[in-house]
């Protein structure tokens, strides 16, 4: 059965997004379909196994596992994502939730008269991101959260809410690779009730906190290419959605949050972190790709042919993107090799990954993943299509699974 035919039989995943509320969508970083996929995979495993997600994202796998009573860990090289996953997977008492709600009210009541505003973060051309009114409000609000006397758990929940609010008030659009900014409307700006927006975001986050956490989840700062058993322990199941080979920079998407929360201080730091990430190509990472040399640590006929085809495309970025595709898969090979060191015998992996196209050349990423798994010693390798990614019929997401 070909991929599109099987997709029709799996209609519950095709063009379907779960609209559930709660912790999964706290920062709108997690596609809702991924929650459904993770929960379905987890439902087929015993409650005594440990779960790992080596590409943290917003902590979806760790949270789903913890809610189902499965102990879990998640890793990432981005400290902001580790913080966010830790906040999301922490259990909260009714008293902590009530205190956070009361603290929100105290903050809003004292806005403009009690709290000392923070200095706006050093985001390049910050005036394009927020209007003068919204920027002043965000500085006041961030200063209040920092200054108010409250437990760390309360401040963390307020900071997550703050992140939701700052992106709602932003002029930026992240729905395509070339980020754009919409023009502000002076009259509309005056009519915005910013306090109400923050109050609603706090209520949204606190609503998610009522979900029961039945097992411990750990968020650990660690490179997926160098996983360490002494810090992580051993695992029986991996469910993850690594960065796709599509040149989408996750650092670019996260910059506003990371600047406001102090994880970034200057633009170069964003480029450096993106270069360290698998699949990163933003800022200085792009220029460094031009000097990157393949180590030949992993070889695959399909990969070699698509790298060659991309490099020969009639486009000034063709050579750079051919290096990008090659480096991406070498990094994934190193990651999967590292992963085997934290497995119990019989552990199972599920990689939710999409294929890609560059200048008309289809990169069968799912097949390359399967080949890498075979080369590093996995067995029972299976590729299942999950859904179409967009209007391009050749772009599909897959669940690539295997046993160690």
């Amino acid at each position: 059965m070909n991929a599109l035919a099987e997709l029709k039989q799996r209609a519950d995943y095709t063009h379907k997004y779960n609209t559930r509320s709660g912790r999964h969508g706290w920062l709108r970083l997690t596609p809702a379909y991924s929650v459904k996929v993770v929960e379905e995979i987890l439902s087929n495993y015993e409650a005594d196994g440990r779960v790992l997600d080596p590409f943290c994202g917003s902590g979806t796998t760790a949270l789903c596992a913890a809610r189902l009573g499965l102990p879990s860990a998640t890793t990432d090289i981005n400290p902001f994502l580790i913080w966010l996953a830790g906040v999301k997977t922490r259990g909260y008492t009714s008293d902590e939730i009530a205190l956070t709600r009361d603290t929100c009210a105290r903050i809003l009541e004292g806005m403009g008269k009690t709290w000392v505003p923070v200095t706006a973060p050093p985001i390049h051309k910050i005036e394009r991101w927020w209007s003068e009114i919204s920027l002043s409000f965000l500085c006041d609000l961030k200063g209040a959260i920092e200054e108010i006397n409250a437990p760390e758990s309360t401040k963390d929940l307020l900071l997550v809410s703050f992140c939701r609010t700052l992106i709602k008030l932003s002029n930026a659009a992240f729905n395509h690779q070339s980020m754009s900014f919409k023009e502000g409307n002076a009259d509309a700006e005056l009519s915005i009730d910013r306090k109400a927006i923050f109050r609603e975001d706090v209520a949204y986050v606190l609503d998610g906190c009522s979900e029961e956490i039945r097992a411990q989840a750990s968020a650990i700062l660690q490179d997926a290419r160098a996983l360490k058993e002494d810090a992580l322990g051993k695992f029986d199941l991996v469910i993850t959605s690594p960065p796709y080979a599509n040149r989408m920079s996750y650092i670019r998407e996260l910059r506003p949050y990371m600047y406001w929360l102090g994880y970034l201080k200057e633009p170069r730091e964003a480029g450096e972190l993106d270069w360290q990430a698998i699949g990163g190509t933003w800022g200085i990472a792009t220029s460094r790709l031009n000097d990157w040399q393949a180590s030949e640590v992993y070889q695959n006929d399909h990969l070699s042919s698509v790298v060659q085809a991309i490099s020969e495309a009639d486009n000034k970025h063709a050579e750079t993107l051919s290096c990008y595709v090659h480096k991406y898969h070498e990094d994934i090979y190193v990651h999967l090799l590292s992963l085997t060191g934290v497995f119990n015998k019989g552990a199972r992996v599920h990689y939710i990954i999409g294929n890609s196209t560059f200048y008309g050349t289809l990169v069968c990423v799912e097949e390359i993943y399967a080949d890498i798994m075979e080369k590093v010693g996995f067995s029972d390798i299976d590729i299942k299509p999950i859904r179409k990614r967009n209007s391009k019929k050749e772009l599909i997401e897959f669940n690539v699974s295997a046993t160690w």
Side-chain angles (χ1 to χ4, degrees):
M1 181 183 297
N2 64 38
L4 290 178
E6 187 168 343
L7 277 174
K8 292 178 181 178
Q9 291 189 4
R10 297 170 61 84
D12 57 321
Y13 288 112
T14 306
H15 299 301
K16 186 172 184 180
Y17 287 82
N18 188 323
T19 57
R20 69 192 301 163
S21 62
R23 303 189 199 197
H24 296 296
W26 271 5
L27 283 189
R28 304 176 186 272
L29 299 177
T30 306
Y33 71 85
S34 68
V35 176
K36 182 177 178 62
V37 171
V38 170
E39 289 181 340
E40 181 172 284
I41 294 171
L42 285 170
S43 68
N44 294 319
Y45 287 87
E46 298 296 329
D48 59 351
R50 291 190 72 222
V51 181
L52 172 67
D53 182 352
F55 298 97
C56 181
S58 63
T60 298
T61 295
L63 179 59
C64 289
R67 288 183 60 238
L68 291 172
L70 293 164
S72 62
T74 187
T75 67
D76 208 278
I77 64 168
N78 188 329
F80 167 74
L81 291 177
I82 293 301
W83 169 79
L84 178 61
V87 177
K88 286 180 65 173
T89 56
R90 185 187 300 156
Y92 297 93
T93 66
S94 58
D95 287 344
E96 287 177 308
I97 294 172
L99 177 59
T100 304
R101 188 177 292 109
D102 291 344
T103 304
C104 170
R106 287 166 52 206
I107 283 175
L108 295 179
E109 184 179 353
M111 290 277 287
K113 52 188 178 183
T114 303
W115 317 113
V116 178
V118 298
T119 302
I123 298 177
H124 181 61
K125 293 185 178 180
I126 197 170
E127 68 278 0
R128 298 179 66 193
W129 287 80
W130 294 277
S131 69
E132 185 177 348
I133 300 173
S134 289
L135 188 58
S136 176
F137 172 80
L138 291 170
C139 289
D140 285 345
L141 181 56
K142 179 63 162 41
I145 296 172
E146 288 185 1
E147 189 177 343
I148 198 164
N149 184 19
E152 181 183 4
S153 60
T154 290
K155 290 195 174 188
D156 282 344
L157 292 171
L158 292 173
L159 285 173
V160 173
S161 306
F162 172 80
C163 287
R164 286 180 58 86
T165 298
L166 74 85
I167 212 66
K168 284 182 180 178
L169 296 178
S170 165
N171 296 320
F174 292 99
N175 56 346
H176 46 76
Q177 287 186 326
S178 299
M179 186 182 65
S180 62
F181 293 91
K182 59 180 181 288
E183 293 295 327
N185 182 303
D187 291 335
E189 283 288 330
L190 291 173
S191 66
I192 296 174
D193 189 341
R194 294 169 179 81
K195 289 185 178 181
I197 292 174
F198 180 65
R199 192 180 296 112
E200 290 170 2
D201 286 332
V202 170
Y204 180 89
V205 169
L206 293 183
D207 180 61
C209 290
S210 61
E211 299 174 4
E212 182 185 7
I213 299 297
R214 299 172 51 206
Q216 182 180 6
S218 302
I220 301 168
L221 190 67
Q222 199 164 126
D223 189 332
R225 290 159 295 199
L227 300 171
K228 298 178 176 61
E229 182 186 349
D230 57 352
L232 297 173
K234 292 280 193 176
F235 296 90
D236 306 283
L237 175 64
V238 165
I239 305 175
T240 191
S241 184
Y244 288 9
N246 60 3
R247 208 187 170 221
M248 177 62 74
S249 168
Y250 295 94
I251 300 300
R252 168 185 166 275
E253 299 283 317
L254 297 171
R255 274 182 302 156
Y257 311 119
M258 295 181 70
Y259 270 110
W260 276 101
L261 269 60
Y263 291 100
L264 291 176
K265 299 291 194 304
E266 58 182 51
R268 186 175 182 83
E269 293 176 341
E272 289 286 355
L273 188 57
D274 209 39
W275 175 246
Q276 295 172 41
I278 293 177
T281 61
W282 185 76
I284 59 174
T286 300
S287 60
R288 288 181 180 176
L289 277 171
N290 295 322
D291 300 323
W292 179 80
Q293 296 292 323
S295 67
E296 305 301 335
V297 65
Y298 168 70
Q299 298 185 39
N300 172 277
D301 289 343
H302 173 64
L303 178 60
S304 297
S305 65
V306 298
V307 166
Q308 181 68 24
I310 293 169
S311 69
E312 294 172 351
D314 184 19
N315 188 287
K316 64 179 181 180
H317 301 299
E319 188 65 37
T320 300
L321 289 182
S322 71
C323 288
Y324 164 78
V325 172
H326 201 162
K327 181 179 184 298
Y328 172 89
H329 288 96
E330 281 203 3
D331 281 342
I332 292 298
Y333 175 86
V334 174
H335 155 64
L336 282 165
L337 195 60
S338 171
L339 188 68
T340 63
V342 295
F343 272 164
N344 288 318
K345 184 64 178 176
R348 187 78 178 161
V349 300
H350 293 266
Y351 278 71
I352 311 304
I353 189 68
N355 57 7
S356 304
T357 59
F358 292 87
Y359 312 126
T361 297
L362 179 65
V363 184
C364 298
V365 178
E366 74 286 358
E367 294 181 8
I368 300 174
Y369 267 67
D371 182 67
I372 293 173
M373 289 176 181
E374 182 178 14
K375 282 184 168 61
V376 301
F378 287 89
S379 61
D380 301 324
I381 300 167
D382 186 40
I383 301 174
K384 278 193 169 61
I386 295 175
R387 69 170 194 122
K388 286 181 61 179
R389 288 170 54 195
N390 54 33
S391 59
K392 294 183 179 181
K393 64 180 181 180
E394 69 272 20
L395 293 184
I396 299 171
E397 276 173 338
F398 299 86
N399 176 0
V400 184
S401 60
T403 301
W404 177 244

